[in-house]
Amino acid sequence: MKSNSAPGLAGLIGETRMFGEVTAFVLRGLLRRALPNMRRHGQRGVLLIPGFGAGDLTLSPLADRLHELGYRIFFSGIWCNVDCPVHMLMWLEKVLRKASRKTHGKIVIIGHSLGGIYARELACRFPDLVERAILLGSPVKAPLEGSNTFLRPLFEWAHRRCPGRLAAAFAPEVEMSQRAPRVPETLIYSKTDGIVQWQNCVETGAHVEAIEVESSHCGLPFDPRAFEVIVDRLARHAERSRLVTANSAVPSHRRFHRVRTSLAAIKRSRQVVA
């Protein structure tokens, strides 16, 4: 899908509000202003992937807040996200597999902007390793067409060494998946995004949800509403995992005995009623 009009100079100027958004997010963390329903959910694995031109350091405030809640955070190992997607996906696959081995389970991937595109692709390729993908302002549709016109030359220059140059960024060598992943995917976007066209950040699918927040593009990882959604989805993952673990811990013959006992109780109640 092509955008009708990509963000321009006004959008870039509007992105300066991200400094206030980051400051507010950090202060909330320092003051421990947690949501009422926040609880520690154990060492669940979360992999964070930064956006274009950014590194792991930019997601440190988000990582700190999630770590305080008990989640085990894994960084991508990216200092500056400008490498060719062909190489980047190979690297991120290794990081994902390592995180899965360390946690003995599936990983929730949170990606910002370009990092979200990578998160989505990892979820498509490795559903056995990914529990859920959470994308923050990621143009999953026509990423180049929907990006800010003033930033496209920078993106092209950064990927000048890619095979096929700019075209290699999101096809055909990378072969990005056309369909949404088979695992749950949460798309968080803002209609005031000054970097990418918000319509390009939304897709449909059986396991896809799109949630709008009011934020700048760069400030999405620090938006209160976005953080609330992230924590809620992580909590759902933790609760589901706990139920599966508890059920698997009960021997099969005991589970069968419980079923027979329940059926017998139902039969007795029917006889009484009759």
Side-chain angles (χ1 to χ4, degrees):
M1 181 186 88
K2 293 186 178 181
S3 309
N4 295 326
S5 58
L9 182 59
L12 285 180
I13 296 175
E15 285 297 310
T16 56
R17 58 194 158 128
M18 62 89 60
F19 295 107
E21 293 169 337
V22 174
T23 302
F25 184 83
V26 173
L27 290 177
R28 280 192 293 270
L30 293 176
L31 296 174
R32 298 180 181 275
R33 289 183 179 178
L35 296 174
N37 61 344
M38 284 187 181
R39 294 179 297 165
R40 298 182 67 87
H41 296 288
Q43 294 293 309
R44 310 306 309 174
V46 179
L47 172 60
L48 303 179
I49 308 179
F52 170 69
D56 291 335
L57 185 62
T58 61
L59 296 180
S60 292
L62 175 60
D64 292 340
R65 293 285 296 276
L66 293 178
H67 179 71
E68 290 176 0
L69 295 175
Y71 295 104
R72 187 171 183 179
I73 305 301
F74 294 91
F75 287 104
S76 64
I78 298 175
W79 177 77
C80 185
N81 194 354
V82 294
D83 198 2
C84 178
V86 177
H87 304 145
M88 190 60 68
L89 281 171
M90 294 174 61
W91 168 259
L92 290 173
E93 178 187 348
K94 295 179 181 179
V95 175
L96 173 62
R97 292 188 180 278
K98 183 177 181 180
S100 180
R101 287 196 301 269
K102 286 189 174 182
T103 59
H104 305 288
K106 294 185 177 182
I107 303 297
V108 175
I109 308 180
I110 303 176
H112 178 219
S113 194
L114 176 59
I117 296 178
Y118 291 149
R120 175 185 181 276
E121 187 61 23
L122 290 173
C124 289
R125 297 187 183 188
F126 312 107
D128 56 322
L129 300 176
V130 179
E131 172 69 24
R132 174 187 293 270
I134 301 178
L135 283 57
L136 307 174
S138 301
V140 295
K141 295 181 179 179
L144 299 180
E145 295 293 336
S147 62
N148 192 293
T149 53
F150 288 89
L151 293 180
R152 179 163 177 167
L154 178 61
F155 190 87
E156 183 176 13
W157 178 84
H159 293 88
R160 65 192 184 281
R161 293 178 294 179
C162 290
R165 300 191 56 154
L166 186 62
F170 302 103
E173 289 85 353
V174 182
E175 296 182 353
M176 291 290 184
S177 302
Q178 297 299 315
R179 296 184 179 180
R182 289 174 288 170
V183 303
E185 179 187 39
T186 300
L187 306 170
I188 301 178
Y189 67 95
S190 171
K191 289 187 178 181
T192 59
D193 193 313
I195 302 298
V196 299
Q197 190 77 7
W198 70 267
Q199 291 92 335
N200 294 37
C201 299
V202 178
E203 68 175 344
T204 58
H207 308 289
V208 179
E209 62 174 352
I211 301 174
E212 179 189 353
V213 300
E214 187 174 349
S215 170
S216 65
H217 178 83
C218 297
L220 277 169
F222 320 107
D223 178 77
R225 170 58 177 155
F227 184 68
E228 179 184 348
V229 172
I230 290 173
V231 172
D232 178 74
R233 300 313 183 266
L234 289 173
R236 293 182 187 181
H237 162 55
E239 291 293 342
R240 184 165 54 253
S241 299
R242 224 189 333 264
L243 288 174
V244 172
T245 303
N247 187 55
S248 61
V250 179
S252 58
H253 68 278
R254 291 187 180 180
R255 291 199 296 268
F256 182 66
H257 174 71
R258 290 179 180 178
V259 172
R260 288 192 302 177
T261 302
S262 300
L263 291 175
I266 293 174
K267 290 181 179 179
R268 287 196 298 271
S269 62
R270 289 178 176 176
Q271 292 175 354
V272 172
V273 173

